[in-house]
Amino acid sequence: QCFSSSNRIAMNVDRILSEVKRSDKVLSGKAEASKRKRDQLDDDDDDDKPTLDGKGGGKDERQAKMQKILEEAEEVQELDAARLRDLVSQFTKAIAKNIERRMKFSEEPAKFLDSEMKVHDLVQEMHAVAASPELFEEFVRLKVVPPLLSLLPHENTDISIEVVDLLKEFTEPEGYGYDQDSRDALLEELVTNDMIPLLVANLDRLKEEEEEDKPRNKFRS
């Protein structure tokens, strides 16, 4: 009965997450198009694509960055309780710093961009937790769910999308059946911390922004 109840909740959450992600993608696509234009303006006269940090560079530099990303990905795959505690510590500090920088430099986005990228990268790293259900109970014990959910309405749509992706993995109805107790503990923590109303509120926000972004029909009478 517990299994059936938790999976009904997960399926409802999955439906909401899918709708939120669809709206997120619409807005993110527009933001990405704008970013590409900025990157092209900042790029050198050569034909090389800009690197991940947007500064441009040659093939060797891009390959070095890609190698670093692959090495970091391998480290993330080897997640254990100790590394999880370190990841959570970095995550909560990064959120606090981003909030502080946004408040201090609200009119100067360039000054809080680095802190924003750090938060985004750490949310990405947490996908390794979703693939390690044996760590779900430790994840709950570390009280990381509230700060994670606080990012759903973040002004940076890329961060919001990443959180939605992570929640979708955490609440996958067909996932992790071999560790149901741990999954139920995490799902209960997410629901207790108002994941569903936060998702609904974020969906409403995204829909409003999507409506505002729609071009007006100037021929309408």
PDB file of all heavy atoms in Angstrom, residues 138-157:
ATOM      1  N   GLU A 138      20.745   9.749   3.701  1.00  0.00           N
ATOM      2  CA  GLU A 138      21.777  10.700   4.124  1.00  0.00           C
ATOM      3  C   GLU A 138      21.502  12.072   3.522  1.00  0.00           C
ATOM      4  O   GLU A 138      21.688  13.107   4.177  1.00  0.00           O
ATOM      5  CB  GLU A 138      23.161  10.199   3.697  1.00  0.00           C
ATOM      6  CG  GLU A 138      24.312  11.114   4.059  1.00  0.00           C
ATOM      7  CD  GLU A 138      24.591  11.165   5.555  1.00  0.00           C
ATOM      8  OE1 GLU A 138      23.955  10.417   6.318  1.00  0.00           O
ATOM      9  OE2 GLU A 138      25.449  11.975   5.960  1.00  0.00           O
ATOM     10  N   PHE A 139      21.031  12.094   2.295  1.00  0.00           N
ATOM     11  CA  PHE A 139      20.669  13.340   1.619  1.00  0.00           C
ATOM     12  C   PHE A 139      19.582  14.068   2.414  1.00  0.00           C
ATOM     13  O   PHE A 139      19.647  15.283   2.615  1.00  0.00           O
ATOM     14  CB  PHE A 139      20.177  13.014   0.210  1.00  0.00           C
ATOM     15  CG  PHE A 139      19.969  14.201  -0.686  1.00  0.00           C
ATOM     16  CD1 PHE A 139      21.038  14.825  -1.306  1.00  0.00           C
ATOM     17  CD2 PHE A 139      18.692  14.676  -0.948  1.00  0.00           C
ATOM     18  CE1 PHE A 139      20.843  15.908  -2.154  1.00  0.00           C
ATOM     19  CE2 PHE A 139      18.489  15.751  -1.786  1.00  0.00           C
ATOM     20  CZ  PHE A 139      19.563  16.373  -2.398  1.00  0.00           C
ATOM     21  N   VAL A 140      18.612  13.307   2.888  1.00  0.00           N
ATOM     22  CA  VAL A 140      17.533  13.881   3.703  1.00  0.00           C
ATOM     23  C   VAL A 140      18.078  14.367   5.042  1.00  0.00           C
ATOM     24  O   VAL A 140      17.745  15.456   5.518  1.00  0.00           O
ATOM     25  CB  VAL A 140      16.412  12.843   3.917  1.00  0.00           C
ATOM     26  CG1 VAL A 140      15.406  13.343   4.959  1.00  0.00           C
ATOM     27  CG2 VAL A 140      15.706  12.541   2.598  1.00  0.00           C
ATOM     28  N   ARG A 141      18.926  13.553   5.665  1.00  0.00           N
ATOM     29  CA  ARG A 141      19.472  13.894   6.979  1.00  0.00           C
ATOM     30  C   ARG A 141      20.276  15.184   6.941  1.00  0.00           C
ATOM     31  O   ARG A 141      20.299  15.955   7.920  1.00  0.00           O
ATOM     32  CB  ARG A 141      20.363  12.748   7.487  1.00  0.00           C
ATOM     33  CG  ARG A 141      20.780  12.879   8.946  1.00  0.00           C
ATOM     34  CD  ARG A 141      21.810  11.841   9.323  1.00  0.00           C
ATOM     35  NE  ARG A 141      23.090  12.084   8.681  1.00  0.00           N
ATOM     36  CZ  ARG A 141      23.967  13.013   9.083  1.00  0.00           C
ATOM     37  NH1 ARG A 141      23.688  13.785  10.124  1.00  0.00           N
ATOM     38  NH2 ARG A 141      25.114  13.163   8.451  1.00  0.00           N
ATOM     39  N   LEU A 142      20.930  15.452   5.827  1.00  0.00           N
ATOM     40  CA  LEU A 142      21.753  16.653   5.683  1.00  0.00           C
ATOM     41  C   LEU A 142      20.918  17.911   5.447  1.00  0.00           C
ATOM     42  O   LEU A 142      21.474  19.014   5.311  1.00  0.00           O
ATOM     43  CB  LEU A 142      22.743  16.463   4.529  1.00  0.00           C
ATOM     44  CG  LEU A 142      23.840  15.425   4.781  1.00  0.00           C
ATOM     45  CD1 LEU A 142      24.627  15.141   3.501  1.00  0.00           C
ATOM     46  CD2 LEU A 142      24.784  15.888   5.884  1.00  0.00           C
ATOM     47  N   LYS A 143      19.608  17.743   5.361  1.00  0.00           N
ATOM     48  CA  LYS A 143      18.664  18.870   5.234  1.00  0.00           C
ATOM     49  C   LYS A 143      18.970  19.755   4.020  1.00  0.00           C
ATOM     50  O   LYS A 143      18.945  20.999   4.091  1.00  0.00           O
ATOM     51  CB  LYS A 143      18.674  19.717   6.513  1.00  0.00           C
ATOM     52  CG  LYS A 143      18.287  18.929   7.758  1.00  0.00           C
ATOM     53  CD  LYS A 143      18.146  19.817   8.960  1.00  0.00           C
ATOM     54  CE  LYS A 143      17.829  19.015  10.210  1.00  0.00           C
ATOM     55  NZ  LYS A 143      16.612  18.197  10.107  1.00  0.00           N
ATOM     56  N   VAL A 144      19.262  19.104   2.909  1.00  0.00           N
ATOM     57  CA  VAL A 144      19.568  19.849   1.689  1.00  0.00           C
ATOM     58  C   VAL A 144      18.323  20.089   0.837  1.00  0.00           C
ATOM     59  O   VAL A 144      18.344  20.910  -0.086  1.00  0.00           O
ATOM     60  CB  VAL A 144      20.647  19.097   0.870  1.00  0.00           C
ATOM     61  CG1 VAL A 144      20.093  17.812   0.312  1.00  0.00           C
ATOM     62  CG2 VAL A 144      21.211  19.971  -0.234  1.00  0.00           C
ATOM     63  N   VAL A 145      17.218  19.406   1.156  1.00  0.00           N
ATOM     64  CA  VAL A 145      16.009  19.562   0.347  1.00  0.00           C
ATOM     65  C   VAL A 145      15.466  20.998   0.362  1.00  0.00           C
ATOM     66  O   VAL A 145      15.140  21.549  -0.696  1.00  0.00           O
ATOM     67  CB  VAL A 145      14.926  18.547   0.776  1.00  0.00           C
ATOM     68  CG1 VAL A 145      13.572  18.903   0.175  1.00  0.00           C
ATOM     69  CG2 VAL A 145      15.336  17.140   0.338  1.00  0.00           C
ATOM     70  N   PRO A 146      15.347  21.658   1.538  1.00  0.00           N
ATOM     71  CA  PRO A 146      14.822  23.041   1.525  1.00  0.00           C
ATOM     72  C   PRO A 146      15.638  24.003   0.654  1.00  0.00           C
ATOM     73  O   PRO A 146      15.040  24.721  -0.172  1.00  0.00           O
ATOM     74  CB  PRO A 146      14.843  23.441   3.011  1.00  0.00           C
ATOM     75  CG  PRO A 146      14.690  22.147   3.743  1.00  0.00           C
ATOM     76  CD  PRO A 146      15.480  21.150   2.926  1.00  0.00           C
ATOM     77  N   PRO A 147      16.980  24.049   0.783  1.00  0.00           N
ATOM     78  CA  PRO A 147      17.711  24.960  -0.111  1.00  0.00           C
ATOM     79  C   PRO A 147      17.602  24.574  -1.580  1.00  0.00           C
ATOM     80  O   PRO A 147      17.603  25.441  -2.454  1.00  0.00           O
ATOM     81  CB  PRO A 147      19.170  24.879   0.393  1.00  0.00           C
ATOM     82  CG  PRO A 147      19.245  23.656   1.231  1.00  0.00           C
ATOM     83  CD  PRO A 147      17.885  23.465   1.798  1.00  0.00           C
ATOM     84  N   LEU A 148      17.502  23.273  -1.853  1.00  0.00           N
ATOM     85  CA  LEU A 148      17.338  22.844  -3.243  1.00  0.00           C
ATOM     86  C   LEU A 148      16.024  23.365  -3.814  1.00  0.00           C
ATOM     87  O   LEU A 148      15.986  23.935  -4.913  1.00  0.00           O
ATOM     88  CB  LEU A 148      17.378  21.317  -3.336  1.00  0.00           C
ATOM     89  CG  LEU A 148      17.139  20.723  -4.726  1.00  0.00           C
ATOM     90  CD1 LEU A 148      18.255  21.118  -5.686  1.00  0.00           C
ATOM     91  CD2 LEU A 148      17.031  19.203  -4.646  1.00  0.00           C
ATOM     92  N   LEU A 149      14.950  23.196  -3.071  1.00  0.00           N
ATOM     93  CA  LEU A 149      13.638  23.651  -3.544  1.00  0.00           C
ATOM     94  C   LEU A 149      13.562  25.178  -3.628  1.00  0.00           C
ATOM     95  O   LEU A 149      12.780  25.716  -4.422  1.00  0.00           O
ATOM     96  CB  LEU A 149      12.537  23.118  -2.628  1.00  0.00           C
ATOM     97  CG  LEU A 149      12.337  21.601  -2.637  1.00  0.00           C
ATOM     98  CD1 LEU A 149      11.249  21.187  -1.646  1.00  0.00           C
ATOM     99  CD2 LEU A 149      11.993  21.094  -4.033  1.00  0.00           C
ATOM    100  N   SER A 150      14.372  25.861  -2.828  1.00  0.00           N
ATOM    101  CA  SER A 150      14.357  27.329  -2.871  1.00  0.00           C
ATOM    102  C   SER A 150      14.843  27.863  -4.208  1.00  0.00           C
ATOM    103  O   SER A 150      14.626  29.034  -4.534  1.00  0.00           O
ATOM    104  CB  SER A 150      15.235  27.896  -1.745  1.00  0.00           C
ATOM    105  OG  SER A 150      16.618  27.756  -2.042  1.00  0.00           O
ATOM    106  N   LEU A 151      15.490  27.003  -4.996  1.00  0.00           N
ATOM    107  CA  LEU A 151      16.006  27.425  -6.299  1.00  0.00           C
ATOM    108  C   LEU A 151      14.970  27.317  -7.418  1.00  0.00           C
ATOM    109  O   LEU A 151      15.214  27.783  -8.531  1.00  0.00           O
ATOM    110  CB  LEU A 151      17.235  26.585  -6.669  1.00  0.00           C
ATOM    111  CG  LEU A 151      18.455  26.736  -5.760  1.00  0.00           C
ATOM    112  CD1 LEU A 151      19.555  25.766  -6.186  1.00  0.00           C
ATOM    113  CD2 LEU A 151      18.983  28.164  -5.776  1.00  0.00           C
ATOM    114  N   LEU A 152      13.838  26.697  -7.141  1.00  0.00           N
ATOM    115  CA  LEU A 152      12.827  26.550  -8.196  1.00  0.00           C
ATOM    116  C   LEU A 152      12.386  27.890  -8.787  1.00  0.00           C
ATOM    117  O   LEU A 152      12.275  28.015 -10.009  1.00  0.00           O
ATOM    118  CB  LEU A 152      11.610  25.783  -7.659  1.00  0.00           C
ATOM    119  CG  LEU A 152      11.736  24.265  -7.653  1.00  0.00           C
ATOM    120  CD1 LEU A 152      10.555  23.632  -6.914  1.00  0.00           C
ATOM    121  CD2 LEU A 152      11.827  23.714  -9.069  1.00  0.00           C
ATOM    122  N   PRO A 153      12.135  28.911  -7.965  1.00  0.00           N
ATOM    123  CA  PRO A 153      11.735  30.199  -8.549  1.00  0.00           C
ATOM    124  C   PRO A 153      12.906  31.119  -8.851  1.00  0.00           C
ATOM    125  O   PRO A 153      12.722  32.325  -8.996  1.00  0.00           O
ATOM    126  CB  PRO A 153      10.839  30.793  -7.452  1.00  0.00           C
ATOM    127  CG  PRO A 153      11.435  30.285  -6.180  1.00  0.00           C
ATOM    128  CD  PRO A 153      11.964  28.907  -6.489  1.00  0.00           C
ATOM    129  N   HIS A 154      14.106  30.568  -8.956  1.00  0.00           N
ATOM    130  CA  HIS A 154      15.285  31.411  -9.180  1.00  0.00           C
ATOM    131  C   HIS A 154      15.139  32.216 -10.467  1.00  0.00           C
ATOM    132  O   HIS A 154      14.600  31.729 -11.460  1.00  0.00           O
ATOM    133  CB  HIS A 154      16.543  30.538  -9.256  1.00  0.00           C
ATOM    134  CG  HIS A 154      17.813  31.291  -9.032  1.00  0.00           C
ATOM    135  ND1 HIS A 154      18.369  32.101 -10.000  1.00  0.00           N
ATOM    136  CD2 HIS A 154      18.641  31.367  -7.953  1.00  0.00           C
ATOM    137  CE1 HIS A 154      19.492  32.637  -9.535  1.00  0.00           C
ATOM    138  NE2 HIS A 154      19.681  32.211  -8.294  1.00  0.00           N
ATOM    139  N   GLU A 155      15.646  33.449 -10.419  1.00  0.00           N
ATOM    140  CA  GLU A 155      15.537  34.335 -11.580  1.00  0.00           C
ATOM    141  C   GLU A 155      16.283  33.786 -12.792  1.00  0.00           C
ATOM    142  O   GLU A 155      15.912  34.065 -13.940  1.00  0.00           O
ATOM    143  CB  GLU A 155      16.089  35.725 -11.229  1.00  0.00           C
ATOM    144  CG  GLU A 155      15.240  36.501 -10.241  1.00  0.00           C
ATOM    145  CD  GLU A 155      15.635  36.211  -8.801  1.00  0.00           C
ATOM    146  OE1 GLU A 155      16.285  35.156  -8.555  1.00  0.00           O
ATOM    147  OE2 GLU A 155      15.297  37.019  -7.925  1.00  0.00           O
ATOM    148  N   ASN A 156      17.324  33.017 -12.544  1.00  0.00           N
ATOM    149  CA  ASN A 156      18.091  32.409 -13.630  1.00  0.00           C
ATOM    150  C   ASN A 156      17.378  31.128 -14.084  1.00  0.00           C
ATOM    151  O   ASN A 156      17.351  30.130 -13.367  1.00  0.00           O
ATOM    152  CB  ASN A 156      19.511  32.083 -13.160  1.00  0.00           C
ATOM    153  CG  ASN A 156      20.415  31.628 -14.284  1.00  0.00           C
ATOM    154  OD1 ASN A 156      20.002  30.891 -15.172  1.00  0.00           O
ATOM    155  ND2 ASN A 156      21.657  32.050 -14.245  1.00  0.00           N
ATOM    156  N   THR A 157      16.817  31.154 -15.270  1.00  0.00           N
ATOM    157  CA  THR A 157      16.023  30.027 -15.755  1.00  0.00           C
ATOM    158  C   THR A 157      16.853  28.758 -15.902  1.00  0.00           C
ATOM    159  O   THR A 157      16.336  27.652 -15.721  1.00  0.00           O
ATOM    160  CB  THR A 157      15.378  30.373 -17.112  1.00  0.00           C
ATOM    161  OG1 THR A 157      14.735  31.628 -17.020  1.00  0.00           O
ATOM    162  CG2 THR A 157      14.347  29.332 -17.504  1.00  0.00           C
TER     163      THR A 157
END
